[in-house]
């Protein structure tokens, strides 16, 4: 294909492609990945690459997929907090049982 450079990306998911977009006109500058940009530089200069980049920069595409990414990240953060809270609770009960003489150790 004309976009063989995309084979060097971890995946062709929208988030990965956003990271590879050229700096100029990037819709989400905080998501830039320099190595991926270098790998895809030639692809974005081709007509098909320019068309694809325009779609990725489109306001609708950004609002749709950035919202999904934000929700996924929020879900990961909540899951991490749940694990942390669960570990703290387990640790608390383990220490309590040990203190009361029902567990091994301290």
């Amino acid at each position: 294909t004309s976009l063989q450079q995309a084979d060097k990306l971890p995946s062709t998911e929208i988030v990965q492609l956003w990271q590879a977009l050229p700096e100029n006109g990037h819709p989400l500058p905080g998501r830039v990945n320099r190595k991926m940009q270098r790998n895809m530089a030639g692809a974005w200069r081709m007509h098909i690459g320019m068309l694809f980049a325009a779609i990725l920069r489109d306001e609708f595409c950004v609002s749709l997929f950035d919202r999904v990414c934000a929700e996924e990240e929020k879900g990961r953060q909540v899951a991490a907090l749940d694990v942390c809270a669960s570990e703290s609770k387990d640790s608390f009960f383990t220490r309590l049982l040990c203190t009361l003489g029902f567990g091994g150790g301290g």
Side-chain angles (χ1 to χ4, degrees), residues 19-23 29 31-40:
Q19 292 176 338
L21 281 173
E23 195 90 31
R31 297 201 179 190
V32 169
N33 181 306
R34 304 265 185 247
K35 181 179 179 186
M36 294 167 89
Q37 283 179 325
R38 281 191 302 278
N39 289 339
M40 288 291 290

Side-chain angles (χ1 to χ4, degrees), residues 43-105:
W44 300 129
R45 289 190 290 268
M46 295 180 206
H47 287 103
I48 189 70
M50 288 179 203
L51 176 65
F52 204 30
I55 293 168
L56 291 169
R57 288 181 177 125
D58 182 75
E59 183 179 322
F60 179 76
C61 181
V62 173
S63 67
L64 176 67
F65 287 101
D66 192 38
R67 185 173 0 134
V68 169
C69 295
E71 289 172 6
E72 288 175 358
E73 179 62 25
K74 182 179 176 184
R76 281 192 293 272
Q77 290 174 352
V78 168
L81 288 174
D82 287 346
V83 166
C84 184
S86 176
E87 288 175 355
S88 294
K89 182 175 67 175
D90 291 345
S91 177
F92 170 78
F93 286 118
T94 300
R95 282 183 279 137
L96 178 62
L97 290 173
C98 287
T99 301
L100 296 174
F102 294 103

